[in-house]
Amino acid sequence: MIKETEKYVKDFHMGDSSGHDYAHIERVRKMALTIGREEQADLLIVEMAALLHDTVDDKLTDEVTAWTKLENFFDQIALAEDKRDAIKHILKYMSFKGGKNAGKLESLEGKVVQDADRLDAIGAIGIARTFMYAGKFGDIMYDPLIPPRDLQQADYREKTHAINHFYEKLLKLKDLMNTETGRAIAAERHEFMEQFVAQFKEEWQ
Ligand code: ADP
Ligand code: NI
């Protein structure tokens, strides 16, 4: 089942240049398994959800079609109903969505995969992914006159600049980690990002 899922997911992420390529999926999978072992989560659910976590993201795809395709895939590998439900719950609620999904993710497995995904959004790789994303979707790098938005109110797909994404989301993530293991790894990556933003602004002047 894992092998089949891997194939399905590779196809989906092929050619992505928004920071959501298959290498992102592999890093999240590996990190999720590390955290999941530590937290004694169900590792089949963790690994499948980590692999599939970005296949229903409305930023990357048409969400309605994506969910139908996913159901068809679950039929194809004859995945049991309880496992299907567990994975769907994770995929539905793990996204940040400007904070709008806060508190909705209930399972331990979901919290583990969410922490792994968030760890890939911060630190050196998080920085690189942010600029890939901004370039891909036509945002500029920085404009000191455009302030960060309150994403609970604003549309998160609205145009902005890459540096705002640090304030709107990335610098908040360390305090939103679900697991002790995740929190410990986030601390160092957070500090590196703080340094980066400070240096960036200094050079900008
Ligand atoms: P989530 O899975 O929590 O919804 P996203 O897919 O929105 O996360 O974000 C994953 C990564 O994509 C972010 O960590 C960031 O690198 C990049 N990204 C998303 N939105 C933006 C944005 N508006 N500007 C720059 N980068 C973004
Ligand atoms: Ni992701």
Tab-separated table of all heavy atoms in Angstrom, residues 44-94:
chain	number	residue	atom	x	y	z
A	44	LEU	N	1.481	3.410	10.080
A	44	LEU	CA	0.912	3.268	8.735
A	44	LEU	C	0.103	4.520	8.380
A	44	LEU	O	0.246	5.098	7.295
A	44	LEU	CB	0.023	2.021	8.609
A	44	LEU	CG	-0.668	1.901	7.236
A	44	LEU	CD1	0.326	1.572	6.133
A	44	LEU	CD2	-1.804	0.889	7.252
A	45	ILE	N	-0.722	4.954	9.322
A	45	ILE	CA	-1.507	6.180	9.097
A	45	ILE	C	-0.571	7.376	8.917
A	45	ILE	O	-0.748	8.197	8.016
A	45	ILE	CB	-2.470	6.450	10.292
A	45	ILE	CG1	-3.438	5.271	10.493
A	45	ILE	CG2	-3.228	7.759	10.109
A	45	ILE	CD1	-4.413	5.063	9.372
A	46	VAL	N	0.438	7.468	9.774
A	46	VAL	CA	1.386	8.585	9.700
A	46	VAL	C	2.062	8.614	8.323
A	46	VAL	O	2.106	9.662	7.664
A	46	VAL	CB	2.462	8.473	10.816
A	46	VAL	CG1	3.653	9.388	10.540
A	46	VAL	CG2	1.856	8.800	12.171
A	47	GLU	N	2.561	7.475	7.872
A	47	GLU	CA	3.312	7.456	6.611
A	47	GLU	C	2.408	7.736	5.411
A	47	GLU	O	2.757	8.514	4.522
A	47	GLU	CB	4.039	6.110	6.440
A	47	GLU	CG	5.016	6.150	5.276
A	47	GLU	CD	6.010	4.988	5.279
A	47	GLU	OE1	5.811	4.017	6.035
A	47	GLU	OE2	6.979	5.071	4.506
A	48	MET	N	1.216	7.142	5.396
A	48	MET	CA	0.304	7.383	4.271
A	48	MET	C	-0.157	8.831	4.234
A	48	MET	O	-0.222	9.453	3.176
A	48	MET	CB	-0.905	6.443	4.339
A	48	MET	CG	-0.490	4.996	4.222
A	48	MET	SD	-1.207	3.984	2.921
A	48	MET	CE	-2.614	4.730	2.306
A	49	ALA	N	-0.480	9.370	5.402
A	49	ALA	CA	-0.949	10.765	5.438
A	49	ALA	C	0.176	11.723	5.062
A	49	ALA	O	-0.043	12.710	4.354
A	49	ALA	CB	-1.508	11.101	6.818
A	50	ALA	N	1.394	11.426	5.503
A	50	ALA	CA	2.533	12.280	5.141
A	50	ALA	C	2.721	12.270	3.625
A	50	ALA	O	2.906	13.314	2.995
A	50	ALA	CB	3.802	11.809	5.846
A	51	LEU	N	2.650	11.093	3.034
A	51	LEU	CA	2.809	10.988	1.584
A	51	LEU	C	1.713	11.757	0.851
A	51	LEU	O	1.966	12.433	-0.139
A	51	LEU	CB	2.786	9.520	1.152
A	51	LEU	CG	4.087	8.725	1.352
A	51	LEU	CD1	3.829	7.232	1.204
A	51	LEU	CD2	5.154	9.179	0.363
A	52	LEU	N	0.493	11.652	1.341
A	52	LEU	CA	-0.656	12.212	0.605
A	52	LEU	C	-0.992	13.651	0.987
A	52	LEU	O	-1.874	14.261	0.391
A	52	LEU	CB	-1.891	11.335	0.853
A	52	LEU	CG	-1.859	9.930	0.233
A	52	LEU	CD1	-2.929	9.053	0.863
A	52	LEU	CD2	-2.063	10.012	-1.280
A	53	HIS	N	-0.277	14.214	1.981
A	53	HIS	CA	-0.788	15.427	2.636
A	53	HIS	C	-0.989	16.633	1.714
A	53	HIS	O	-1.846	17.459	1.971
A	53	HIS	CB	0.081	15.801	3.851
A	53	HIS	CG	1.286	16.618	3.525
A	53	HIS	ND1	2.499	16.063	3.174
A	53	HIS	CD2	1.481	17.959	3.491
A	53	HIS	CE1	3.374	17.015	2.940
A	53	HIS	NE2	2.775	18.185	3.118
A	54	ASP	N	-0.229	16.739	0.639
A	54	ASP	CA	-0.384	17.921	-0.224
A	54	ASP	C	-1.196	17.653	-1.493
A	54	ASP	O	-1.338	18.546	-2.322
A	54	ASP	CB	0.991	18.509	-0.587
A	54	ASP	CG	1.451	19.567	0.423
A	54	ASP	OD1	0.576	20.201	1.051
A	54	ASP	OD2	2.670	19.751	0.593
A	55	THR	N	-1.737	16.443	-1.637
A	55	THR	CA	-2.456	16.124	-2.884
A	55	THR	C	-3.851	16.740	-2.949
A	55	THR	O	-4.487	16.686	-4.002
A	55	THR	CB	-2.597	14.593	-3.103
A	55	THR	OG1	-3.327	14.048	-2.001
A	55	THR	CG2	-1.254	13.908	-3.215
A	56	VAL	N	-4.347	17.281	-1.835
A	56	VAL	CA	-5.685	17.892	-1.868
A	56	VAL	C	-5.625	19.385	-1.527
A	56	VAL	O	-6.635	19.996	-1.180
A	56	VAL	CB	-6.662	17.180	-0.890
A	56	VAL	CG1	-6.988	15.784	-1.389
A	56	VAL	CG2	-6.097	17.122	0.511
A	57	ASP	N	-4.412	19.970	-1.642
A	57	ASP	CA	-4.230	21.374	-1.284
A	57	ASP	C	-4.790	22.283	-2.390
A	57	ASP	O	-4.416	22.150	-3.549
A	57	ASP	CB	-2.734	21.647	-1.088
A	57	ASP	CG	-2.469	23.017	-0.479
A	57	ASP	OD1	-3.186	23.973	-0.849
A	57	ASP	OD2	-1.557	23.130	0.348
A	58	ASP	N	-5.669	23.205	-2.006
A	58	ASP	CA	-6.309	24.055	-3.015
A	58	ASP	C	-5.347	25.046	-3.668
A	58	ASP	O	-5.683	25.679	-4.662
A	58	ASP	CB	-7.541	24.781	-2.443
A	58	ASP	CG	-7.181	25.770	-1.352
A	58	ASP	OD1	-6.053	25.712	-0.826
A	58	ASP	OD2	-8.040	26.604	-1.013
A	59	LYS	N	-4.143	25.193	-3.096
A	59	LYS	CA	-3.158	26.060	-3.748
A	59	LYS	C	-2.497	25.348	-4.931
A	59	LYS	O	-1.967	25.962	-5.827
A	59	LYS	CB	-2.058	26.471	-2.760
A	59	LYS	CG	-2.514	27.530	-1.777
A	59	LYS	CD	-1.374	28.053	-0.930
A	59	LYS	CE	-0.626	26.981	-0.153
A	59	LYS	NZ	-1.409	25.959	0.524
A	60	LEU	N	-2.509	24.023	-4.883
A	60	LEU	CA	-1.772	23.260	-5.894
A	60	LEU	C	-2.682	22.603	-6.915
A	60	LEU	O	-2.253	22.191	-7.981
A	60	LEU	CB	-0.935	22.167	-5.210
A	60	LEU	CG	0.013	22.605	-4.096
A	60	LEU	CD1	0.696	21.405	-3.465
A	60	LEU	CD2	1.065	23.569	-4.636
A	61	THR	N	-3.973	22.476	-6.577
A	61	THR	CA	-4.839	21.658	-7.409
A	61	THR	C	-6.300	22.063	-7.214
A	61	THR	O	-6.616	22.822	-6.316
A	61	THR	CB	-4.660	20.166	-7.019
A	61	THR	OG1	-5.472	19.369	-7.868
A	61	THR	CG2	-5.047	19.900	-5.585
A	62	ASP	N	-7.164	21.519	-8.071
A	62	ASP	CA	-8.592	21.708	-7.866
A	62	ASP	C	-9.043	20.704	-6.799
A	62	ASP	O	-8.983	19.493	-6.994
A	62	ASP	CB	-9.345	21.475	-9.177
A	62	ASP	CG	-10.842	21.405	-8.951
A	62	ASP	OD1	-11.371	22.308	-8.273
A	62	ASP	OD2	-11.471	20.440	-9.413
A	63	GLU	N	-9.488	21.252	-5.661
A	63	GLU	CA	-9.727	20.424	-4.477
A	63	GLU	C	-10.797	19.346	-4.686
A	63	GLU	O	-10.641	18.213	-4.232
A	63	GLU	CB	-10.134	21.338	-3.316
A	63	GLU	CG	-9.469	20.994	-2.027
A	63	GLU	CD	-9.877	21.932	-0.889
A	63	GLU	OE1	-9.940	23.165	-1.111
A	63	GLU	OE2	-10.161	21.419	0.197
A	64	VAL	N	-11.872	19.699	-5.382
A	64	VAL	CA	-12.988	18.765	-5.562
A	64	VAL	C	-12.539	17.539	-6.372
A	64	VAL	O	-12.745	16.390	-5.964
A	64	VAL	CB	-14.189	19.452	-6.239
A	64	VAL	CG1	-15.340	18.476	-6.431
A	64	VAL	CG2	-14.642	20.664	-5.409
A	65	THR	N	-11.874	17.796	-7.498
A	65	THR	CA	-11.349	16.705	-8.320
A	65	THR	C	-10.347	15.872	-7.516
A	65	THR	O	-10.334	14.637	-7.607
A	65	THR	CB	-10.605	17.276	-9.556
A	65	THR	OG1	-11.349	18.389	-10.047
A	65	THR	CG2	-10.434	16.241	-10.638
A	66	ALA	N	-9.514	16.554	-6.741
A	66	ALA	CA	-8.462	15.871	-5.985
A	66	ALA	C	-9.047	14.868	-4.985
A	66	ALA	O	-8.549	13.756	-4.844
A	66	ALA	CB	-7.588	16.887	-5.274
A	67	TRP	N	-10.130	15.256	-4.296
A	67	TRP	CA	-10.752	14.342	-3.313
A	67	TRP	C	-11.366	13.126	-4.011
A	67	TRP	O	-11.276	12.005	-3.497
A	67	TRP	CB	-11.817	15.069	-2.487
A	67	TRP	CG	-11.234	15.917	-1.391
A	67	TRP	CD1	-11.131	17.274	-1.385
A	67	TRP	CD2	-10.654	15.462	-0.149
A	67	TRP	NE1	-10.523	17.702	-0.224
A	67	TRP	CE2	-10.221	16.615	0.560
A	67	TRP	CE3	-10.447	14.202	0.428
A	67	TRP	CZ2	-9.612	16.554	1.805
A	67	TRP	CZ3	-9.842	14.141	1.678
A	67	TRP	CH2	-9.430	15.297	2.354
A	68	THR	N	-11.962	13.346	-5.176
A	68	THR	CA	-12.541	12.217	-5.937
A	68	THR	C	-11.440	11.259	-6.379
A	68	THR	O	-11.559	10.039	-6.238
A	68	THR	CB	-13.284	12.755	-7.184
A	68	THR	OG1	-14.121	13.828	-6.770
A	68	THR	CG2	-14.099	11.669	-7.858
A	69	LYS	N	-10.358	11.831	-6.887
A	69	LYS	CA	-9.230	10.996	-7.321
A	69	LYS	C	-8.668	10.187	-6.155
A	69	LYS	O	-8.311	9.012	-6.302
A	69	LYS	CB	-8.112	11.882	-7.905
A	69	LYS	CG	-8.275	12.149	-9.388
A	69	LYS	CD	-7.139	12.998	-9.938
A	69	LYS	CE	-5.791	12.303	-9.962
A	69	LYS	NZ	-4.711	13.224	-10.439
A	70	LEU	N	-8.624	10.831	-4.996
A	70	LEU	CA	-8.089	10.158	-3.806
A	70	LEU	C	-8.982	8.978	-3.392
A	70	LEU	O	-8.490	7.892	-3.084
A	70	LEU	CB	-7.951	11.164	-2.656
A	70	LEU	CG	-7.296	10.632	-1.394
A	70	LEU	CD1	-5.831	10.262	-1.642
A	70	LEU	CD2	-7.377	11.656	-0.262
A	71	GLU	N	-10.304	9.202	-3.407
A	71	GLU	CA	-11.249	8.114	-3.076
A	71	GLU	C	-11.053	6.944	-4.046
A	71	GLU	O	-11.040	5.781	-3.630
A	71	GLU	CB	-12.703	8.601	-3.162
A	71	GLU	CG	-13.131	9.527	-2.022
A	71	GLU	CD	-13.267	8.813	-0.669
A	71	GLU	OE1	-13.084	7.576	-0.586
A	71	GLU	OE2	-13.540	9.526	0.323
A	72	ASN	N	-10.917	7.265	-5.332
A	72	ASN	CA	-10.691	6.212	-6.340
A	72	ASN	C	-9.410	5.445	-6.041
A	72	ASN	O	-9.361	4.221	-6.182
A	72	ASN	CB	-10.602	6.812	-7.747
A	72	ASN	CG	-11.939	7.350	-8.208
A	72	ASN	OD1	-12.987	6.994	-7.653
A	72	ASN	ND2	-11.922	8.245	-9.186
A	73	PHE	N	-8.395	6.191	-5.637
A	73	PHE	CA	-7.121	5.542	-5.308
A	73	PHE	C	-7.284	4.610	-4.094
A	73	PHE	O	-6.793	3.477	-4.096
A	73	PHE	CB	-6.041	6.596	-5.046
A	73	PHE	CG	-4.771	6.026	-4.497
A	73	PHE	CD1	-3.972	5.200	-5.284
A	73	PHE	CD2	-4.389	6.277	-3.184
A	73	PHE	CE1	-2.808	4.633	-4.772
A	73	PHE	CE2	-3.234	5.718	-2.667
A	73	PHE	CZ	-2.438	4.898	-3.455
A	74	PHE	N	-8.008	5.080	-3.076
A	74	PHE	CA	-8.252	4.242	-1.890
A	74	PHE	C	-9.014	2.962	-2.271
A	74	PHE	O	-8.730	1.880	-1.756
A	74	PHE	CB	-9.035	5.016	-0.826
A	74	PHE	CG	-8.224	6.046	-0.080
A	74	PHE	CD1	-8.850	7.128	0.569
A	74	PHE	CD2	-6.826	5.957	-0.010
A	74	PHE	CE1	-8.101	8.070	1.267
A	74	PHE	CE2	-6.077	6.902	0.691
A	74	PHE	CZ	-6.725	7.960	1.335
A	75	ASP	N	-9.969	3.083	-3.188
A	75	ASP	CA	-10.703	1.900	-3.683
A	75	ASP	C	-9.727	0.925	-4.336
A	75	ASP	O	-9.761	-0.275	-4.083
A	75	ASP	CB	-11.737	2.303	-4.751
A	75	ASP	CG	-12.928	3.045	-4.132
A	75	ASP	OD1	-13.093	2.964	-2.892
A	75	ASP	OD2	-13.679	3.692	-4.888
A	76	GLN	N	-8.877	1.502	-5.167
A	76	GLN	CA	-7.921	0.706	-5.935
A	76	GLN	C	-7.001	-0.120	-5.036
A	76	GLN	O	-6.703	-1.273	-5.332
A	76	GLN	CB	-7.103	1.692	-6.769
A	76	GLN	CG	-6.344	1.152	-7.939
A	76	GLN	CD	-5.445	2.278	-8.471
A	76	GLN	OE1	-5.908	3.397	-8.776
A	76	GLN	NE2	-4.155	2.011	-8.544
A	77	ILE	N	-6.564	0.463	-3.916
A	77	ILE	CA	-5.671	-0.297	-3.025
A	77	ILE	C	-6.468	-0.988	-1.921
A	77	ILE	O	-5.885	-1.559	-1.002
A	77	ILE	CB	-4.556	0.595	-2.409
A	77	ILE	CG1	-5.134	1.749	-1.578
A	77	ILE	CG2	-3.631	1.133	-3.499
A	77	ILE	CD1	-4.059	2.488	-0.764
A	78	ALA	N	-7.816	-0.914	-2.013
A	78	ALA	CA	-8.713	-1.570	-1.049
A	78	ALA	C	-8.372	-1.196	0.400
A	78	ALA	O	-8.246	-2.058	1.269
A	78	ALA	CB	-8.674	-3.086	-1.243
A	79	LEU	N	-8.246	0.075	0.630
A	79	LEU	CA	-7.913	0.563	1.976
A	79	LEU	C	-9.146	0.486	2.890
A	79	LEU	O	-10.236	0.899	2.500
A	79	LEU	CB	-7.412	2.013	1.882
A	79	LEU	CG	-6.907	2.642	3.176
A	79	LEU	CD1	-5.635	1.951	3.665
A	79	LEU	CD2	-6.625	4.135	2.982
A	80	ALA	N	-8.967	-0.069	4.087
A	80	ALA	CA	-10.076	-0.234	5.039
A	80	ALA	C	-10.686	1.115	5.428
A	80	ALA	O	-9.993	2.131	5.474
A	80	ALA	CB	-9.578	-0.953	6.278
A	81	GLU	N	-11.983	1.078	5.697
A	81	GLU	CA	-12.761	2.290	5.976
A	81	GLU	C	-12.178	3.130	7.136
A	81	GLU	O	-12.087	4.351	7.031
A	81	GLU	CB	-14.212	1.885	6.303
A	81	GLU	CG	-15.258	2.920	5.933
A	81	GLU	CD	-15.287	3.262	4.430
A	81	GLU	OE1	-15.188	2.340	3.578
A	81	GLU	OE2	-15.395	4.456	4.124
A	82	ASP	N	-11.788	2.467	8.220
A	82	ASP	CA	-11.289	3.226	9.382
A	82	ASP	C	-9.966	3.933	9.051
A	82	ASP	O	-9.730	5.071	9.474
A	82	ASP	CB	-11.144	2.319	10.620
A	82	ASP	CG	-10.197	1.149	10.379
A	82	ASP	OD1	-10.100	0.667	9.213
A	82	ASP	OD2	-9.539	0.711	11.341
A	83	LYS	N	-9.132	3.299	8.249
A	83	LYS	CA	-7.854	3.918	7.875
A	83	LYS	C	-8.096	5.094	6.924
A	83	LYS	O	-7.485	6.150	7.028
A	83	LYS	CB	-6.950	2.896	7.204
A	83	LYS	CG	-6.588	1.745	8.128
A	83	LYS	CD	-5.242	1.183	7.794
A	83	LYS	CE	-4.739	0.083	8.724
A	83	LYS	NZ	-5.532	-0.285	9.882
A	84	ARG	N	-9.025	4.887	5.990
A	84	ARG	CA	-9.432	5.948	5.071
A	84	ARG	C	-9.897	7.184	5.841
A	84	ARG	O	-9.472	8.305	5.563
A	84	ARG	CB	-10.653	5.462	4.305
A	84	ARG	CG	-10.534	5.470	2.835
A	84	ARG	CD	-11.832	4.984	2.288
A	84	ARG	NE	-11.599	3.731	1.599
A	84	ARG	CZ	-12.004	3.496	0.349
A	84	ARG	NH1	-12.722	4.387	-0.298
A	84	ARG	NH2	-11.731	2.366	-0.230
A	85	ASP	N	-10.776	6.957	6.810
A	85	ASP	CA	-11.319	8.069	7.592
A	85	ASP	C	-10.210	8.790	8.346
A	85	ASP	O	-10.188	10.025	8.415
A	85	ASP	CB	-12.385	7.571	8.571
A	85	ASP	CG	-13.653	7.153	7.833
A	85	ASP	OD1	-13.786	7.498	6.629
A	85	ASP	OD2	-14.495	6.469	8.452
A	86	ALA	N	-9.303	8.011	8.926
A	86	ALA	CA	-8.211	8.611	9.699
A	86	ALA	C	-7.342	9.490	8.798
A	86	ALA	O	-6.967	10.607	9.179
A	86	ALA	CB	-7.364	7.516	10.346
A	87	ILE	N	-7.042	9.008	7.607
A	87	ILE	CA	-6.185	9.771	6.683
A	87	ILE	C	-6.922	11.007	6.156
A	87	ILE	O	-6.365	12.113	6.104
A	87	ILE	CB	-5.700	8.876	5.520
A	87	ILE	CG1	-4.776	7.784	6.067
A	87	ILE	CG2	-4.985	9.693	4.449
A	87	ILE	CD1	-4.478	6.651	5.104
A	88	LYS	N	-8.201	10.846	5.824
A	88	LYS	CA	-8.976	11.978	5.307
A	88	LYS	C	-9.105	13.094	6.347
A	88	LYS	O	-9.027	14.276	6.030
A	88	LYS	CB	-10.357	11.515	4.832
A	88	LYS	CG	-10.304	10.967	3.416
A	88	LYS	CD	-11.417	9.998	3.082
A	88	LYS	CE	-12.787	10.606	3.208
A	88	LYS	NZ	-13.846	9.593	2.924
A	89	HIS	N	-9.299	12.699	7.593
A	89	HIS	CA	-9.384	13.690	8.674
A	89	HIS	C	-8.096	14.528	8.720
A	89	HIS	O	-8.143	15.758	8.829
A	89	HIS	CB	-9.616	12.992	10.028
A	89	HIS	CG	-9.508	13.923	11.202
A	89	HIS	ND1	-10.537	14.765	11.578
A	89	HIS	CD2	-8.489	14.169	12.057
A	89	HIS	CE1	-10.143	15.472	12.621
A	89	HIS	NE2	-8.914	15.135	12.943
A	90	ILE	N	-6.968	13.863	8.599
A	90	ILE	CA	-5.674	14.569	8.652
A	90	ILE	C	-5.525	15.529	7.467
A	90	ILE	O	-5.185	16.700	7.625
A	90	ILE	CB	-4.499	13.562	8.669
A	90	ILE	CG1	-4.594	12.669	9.909
A	90	ILE	CG2	-3.155	14.292	8.618
A	90	ILE	CD1	-3.566	11.553	9.975
A	91	LEU	N	-5.818	15.034	6.271
A	91	LEU	CA	-5.645	15.846	5.062
A	91	LEU	C	-6.568	17.066	5.074
A	91	LEU	O	-6.232	18.127	4.563
A	91	LEU	CB	-5.908	15.001	3.810
A	91	LEU	CG	-4.696	14.284	3.203
A	91	LEU	CD1	-3.815	13.621	4.225
A	91	LEU	CD2	-5.122	13.304	2.126
A	92	LYS	N	-7.732	16.884	5.666
A	92	LYS	CA	-8.714	17.954	5.683
A	92	LYS	C	-8.319	19.101	6.620
A	92	LYS	O	-8.528	20.269	6.300
A	92	LYS	CB	-10.053	17.362	6.150
A	92	LYS	CG	-11.242	18.209	5.887
A	92	LYS	CD	-12.518	17.393	5.887
A	92	LYS	CE	-13.718	18.311	5.883
A	92	LYS	NZ	-14.866	17.711	6.563
A	93	TYR	N	-7.724	18.763	7.754
A	93	TYR	CA	-7.508	19.789	8.778
A	93	TYR	C	-6.069	20.170	9.071
A	93	TYR	O	-5.821	21.020	9.909
A	93	TYR	CB	-8.197	19.367	10.077
A	93	TYR	CG	-9.694	19.293	9.952
A	93	TYR	CD1	-10.379	18.108	10.225
A	93	TYR	CD2	-10.425	20.409	9.545
A	93	TYR	CE1	-11.762	18.036	10.097
A	93	TYR	CE2	-11.800	20.347	9.411
A	93	TYR	CZ	-12.461	19.166	9.687
A	93	TYR	OH	-13.820	19.104	9.561
A	94	MET	N	-5.092	19.552	8.405
A	94	MET	CA	-3.711	19.854	8.819
A	94	MET	C	-3.156	21.160	8.264
A	94	MET	O	-2.197	21.697	8.794
A	94	MET	CB	-2.766	18.694	8.513
A	94	MET	CG	-2.505	18.436	7.054
A	94	MET	SD	-1.195	17.196	6.903
A	94	MET	CE	0.263	18.242	6.826
